PDB file of all heavy atoms in Angstrom:
ATOM      1  N   ALA L 173     -14.417  21.452  -3.193  1.00 33.00           N
ATOM      2  CA  ALA L 173     -13.478  21.415  -4.303  1.00 33.00           C
ATOM      3  C   ALA L 173     -12.342  20.489  -3.959  1.00 33.00           C
ATOM      4  O   ALA L 173     -11.843  20.488  -2.850  1.00 33.00           O
ATOM      5  CB  ALA L 173     -12.944  22.814  -4.550  1.00 33.00           C
ATOM      6  N   LEU L 174     -11.935  19.699  -4.892  1.00 34.00           N
ATOM      7  CA  LEU L 174     -10.865  18.749  -4.619  1.00 34.00           C
ATOM      8  C   LEU L 174      -9.501  19.324  -4.929  1.00 34.00           C
ATOM      9  O   LEU L 174      -8.503  18.777  -4.561  1.00 34.00           O
ATOM     10  CB  LEU L 174     -11.059  17.473  -5.441  1.00 34.00           C
ATOM     11  CG  LEU L 174     -12.082  16.498  -4.889  1.00 34.00           C
ATOM     12  CD1 LEU L 174     -12.084  15.252  -5.731  1.00 34.00           C
ATOM     13  CD2 LEU L 174     -11.741  16.131  -3.448  1.00 34.00           C
ATOM     14  N   GLY L 175      -9.453  20.420  -5.672  1.00 34.00           N
ATOM     15  CA  GLY L 175      -8.142  20.995  -5.952  1.00 34.00           C
ATOM     16  C   GLY L 175      -7.452  20.358  -7.132  1.00 34.00           C
ATOM     17  O   GLY L 175      -6.421  20.796  -7.573  1.00 34.00           O
ATOM     18  N   ALA L 176      -8.014  19.327  -7.683  1.00 36.00           N
ATOM     19  CA  ALA L 176      -7.425  18.727  -8.884  1.00 36.00           C
ATOM     20  C   ALA L 176      -8.571  18.122  -9.658  1.00 36.00           C
ATOM     21  O   ALA L 176      -9.561  17.734  -9.085  1.00 36.00           O
ATOM     22  CB  ALA L 176      -6.403  17.650  -8.512  1.00 36.00           C
ATOM     23  N   ASP L 177      -8.411  18.083 -10.955  1.00 37.00           N
ATOM     24  CA  ASP L 177      -9.495  17.545 -11.757  1.00 37.00           C
ATOM     25  C   ASP L 177      -9.690  16.083 -11.481  1.00 37.00           C
ATOM     26  O   ASP L 177      -8.783  15.375 -11.084  1.00 37.00           O
ATOM     27  CB  ASP L 177      -9.177  17.734 -13.238  1.00 37.00           C
ATOM     28  CG  ASP L 177      -9.150  19.210 -13.571  1.00 37.00           C
ATOM     29  OD1 ASP L 177     -10.146  19.892 -13.322  1.00 37.00           O
ATOM     30  OD2 ASP L 177      -8.109  19.665 -14.044  1.00 37.00           O
ATOM     31  N   ARG L 178     -10.842  15.609 -11.711  1.00 39.00           N
ATOM     32  CA  ARG L 178     -11.120  14.201 -11.515  1.00 39.00           C
ATOM     33  C   ARG L 178     -12.145  13.781 -12.548  1.00 39.00           C
ATOM     34  O   ARG L 178     -12.816  14.616 -13.117  1.00 39.00           O
ATOM     35  CB  ARG L 178     -11.634  13.954 -10.102  1.00 39.00           C
ATOM     36  CG  ARG L 178     -12.980  14.602  -9.859  1.00 39.00           C
ATOM     37  CD  ARG L 178     -13.267  14.712  -8.374  1.00 39.00           C
ATOM     38  NE  ARG L 178     -14.613  15.157  -8.135  1.00 39.00           N
ATOM     39  CZ  ARG L 178     -15.021  16.396  -8.223  1.00 39.00           C
ATOM     40  NH1 ARG L 178     -14.179  17.348  -8.533  1.00 39.00           N
ATOM     41  NH2 ARG L 178     -16.271  16.716  -8.003  1.00 39.00           N
ATOM     42  N   PRO L 179     -12.247  12.504 -12.789  1.00 38.00           N
ATOM     43  CA  PRO L 179     -13.188  12.048 -13.807  1.00 38.00           C
ATOM     44  C   PRO L 179     -14.624  12.392 -13.425  1.00 38.00           C
ATOM     45  O   PRO L 179     -14.929  12.550 -12.251  1.00 38.00           O
ATOM     46  CB  PRO L 179     -12.993  10.536 -13.842  1.00 38.00           C
ATOM     47  CG  PRO L 179     -11.683  10.309 -13.230  1.00 38.00           C
ATOM     48  CD  PRO L 179     -11.466  11.407 -12.241  1.00 38.00           C
ATOM     49  N   PRO L 180     -15.474  12.514 -14.380  1.00 38.00           N
ATOM     50  CA  PRO L 180     -16.849  12.941 -14.104  1.00 38.00           C
ATOM     51  C   PRO L 180     -17.628  11.867 -13.382  1.00 38.00           C
ATOM     52  O   PRO L 180     -17.388  10.688 -13.598  1.00 38.00           O
ATOM     53  CB  PRO L 180     -17.446  13.155 -15.495  1.00 38.00           C
ATOM     54  CG  PRO L 180     -16.639  12.283 -16.381  1.00 38.00           C
ATOM     55  CD  PRO L 180     -15.262  12.243 -15.792  1.00 38.00           C
ATOM     56  N   ASP L 181     -18.533  12.274 -12.517  1.00 38.00           N
ATOM     57  CA  ASP L 181     -19.527  11.313 -12.085  1.00 38.00           C
ATOM     58  C   ASP L 181     -20.806  11.703 -12.788  1.00 38.00           C
ATOM     59  O   ASP L 181     -21.193  12.866 -12.829  1.00 38.00           O
ATOM     60  CB  ASP L 181     -19.703  11.270 -10.572  1.00 38.00           C
ATOM     61  CG  ASP L 181     -20.182  12.582  -9.993  1.00 38.00           C
ATOM     62  OD1 ASP L 181     -21.255  13.061 -10.370  1.00 38.00           O
ATOM     63  OD2 ASP L 181     -19.448  13.128  -9.186  1.00 38.00           O
ATOM     64  N   THR L 182     -21.401  10.758 -13.405  1.00 37.00           N
ATOM     65  CA  THR L 182     -22.496  11.097 -14.315  1.00 37.00           C
ATOM     66  C   THR L 182     -23.856  10.771 -13.738  1.00 37.00           C
ATOM     67  O   THR L 182     -24.849  10.867 -14.400  1.00 37.00           O
ATOM     68  CB  THR L 182     -22.318  10.333 -15.644  1.00 37.00           C
ATOM     69  OG1 THR L 182     -22.233   8.952 -15.336  1.00 37.00           O
ATOM     70  CG2 THR L 182     -21.042  10.784 -16.328  1.00 37.00           C
ATOM     71  N   SER L 183     -23.897  10.393 -12.492  1.00 36.00           N
ATOM     72  CA  SER L 183     -25.202  10.066 -11.923  1.00 36.00           C
ATOM     73  C   SER L 183     -25.851  11.263 -11.293  1.00 36.00           C
ATOM     74  O   SER L 183     -26.887  11.169 -10.681  1.00 36.00           O
ATOM     75  CB  SER L 183     -25.062   8.981 -10.862  1.00 36.00           C
ATOM     76  OG  SER L 183     -24.549   7.829 -11.447  1.00 36.00           O
ATOM     77  N   GLY L 184     -25.252  12.399 -11.452  1.00 33.00           N
ATOM     78  CA  GLY L 184     -25.870  13.606 -10.923  1.00 33.00           C
ATOM     79  C   GLY L 184     -25.574  13.803  -9.461  1.00 33.00           C
ATOM     80  O   GLY L 184     -25.166  12.908  -8.770  1.00 33.00           O
ATOM     81  N   GLY L 185     -25.760  14.976  -9.011  1.00 32.00           N
ATOM     82  CA  GLY L 185     -25.609  15.270  -7.588  1.00 32.00           C
ATOM     83  C   GLY L 185     -24.185  15.525  -7.184  1.00 32.00           C
ATOM     84  O   GLY L 185     -23.269  14.912  -7.683  1.00 32.00           O
ATOM     85  N   GLY L 186     -23.980  16.442  -6.335  1.00 32.00           N
ATOM     86  CA  GLY L 186     -22.706  16.622  -5.660  1.00 32.00           C
ATOM     87  C   GLY L 186     -21.543  17.039  -6.534  1.00 32.00           C
ATOM     88  O   GLY L 186     -21.535  16.793  -7.711  1.00 32.00           O
ATOM     89  N   GLY L 187     -20.588  17.642  -5.984  1.00 34.00           N
ATOM     90  CA  GLY L 187     -19.302  17.845  -6.647  1.00 34.00           C
ATOM     91  C   GLY L 187     -19.326  18.912  -7.721  1.00 34.00           C
ATOM     92  O   GLY L 187     -20.312  19.094  -8.412  1.00 34.00           O
ATOM     93  N   HIS L 188     -18.234  19.612  -7.820  1.00 35.00           N
ATOM     94  CA  HIS L 188     -18.111  20.529  -8.934  1.00 35.00           C
ATOM     95  C   HIS L 188     -16.647  20.690  -9.229  1.00 35.00           C
ATOM     96  O   HIS L 188     -15.789  20.380  -8.412  1.00 35.00           O
ATOM     97  CB  HIS L 188     -18.753  21.876  -8.654  1.00 35.00           C
ATOM     98  CG  HIS L 188     -18.227  22.512  -7.405  1.00 35.00           C
ATOM     99  ND1 HIS L 188     -18.770  22.269  -6.170  1.00 35.00           N
ATOM    100  CD2 HIS L 188     -17.190  23.345  -7.190  1.00 35.00           C
ATOM    101  CE1 HIS L 188     -18.083  22.948  -5.254  1.00 35.00           C
ATOM    102  NE2 HIS L 188     -17.121  23.616  -5.850  1.00 35.00           N
ATOM    103  N   ASP L 189     -16.373  21.187 -10.386  1.00 36.00           N
ATOM    104  CA  ASP L 189     -14.998  21.287 -10.823  1.00 36.00           C
ATOM    105  C   ASP L 189     -14.286  22.383 -10.062  1.00 36.00           C
ATOM    106  O   ASP L 189     -14.853  23.433  -9.774  1.00 36.00           O
ATOM    107  CB  ASP L 189     -14.982  21.617 -12.314  1.00 36.00           C
ATOM    108  CG  ASP L 189     -13.686  21.143 -12.941  1.00 36.00           C
ATOM    109  OD1 ASP L 189     -12.945  20.414 -12.282  1.00 36.00           O
ATOM    110  OD2 ASP L 189     -13.431  21.518 -14.085  1.00 36.00           O
ATOM    111  N   GLU L 190     -13.067  22.163  -9.733  1.00 37.00           N
ATOM    112  CA  GLU L 190     -12.268  23.168  -9.024  1.00 37.00           C
ATOM    113  C   GLU L 190     -11.302  23.796  -9.999  1.00 37.00           C
ATOM    114  O   GLU L 190     -10.559  23.107 -10.664  1.00 37.00           O
ATOM    115  CB  GLU L 190     -11.503  22.485  -7.881  1.00 37.00           C
ATOM    116  CG  GLU L 190     -10.325  23.270  -7.349  1.00 37.00           C
ATOM    117  CD  GLU L 190     -10.701  24.517  -6.575  1.00 37.00           C
ATOM    118  OE1 GLU L 190     -11.815  25.050  -6.770  1.00 37.00           O
ATOM    119  OE2 GLU L 190      -9.887  24.995  -5.794  1.00 37.00           O
TER     120      GLU L 190
END
Side-chain angles (χ1 to χ4, degrees):
Chain L
L174 281 185
D177 294 304
R178 66 197 188 281
D181 62 59
T182 56
S183 299
H188 55 272
D189 205 11
E190 161 70 337

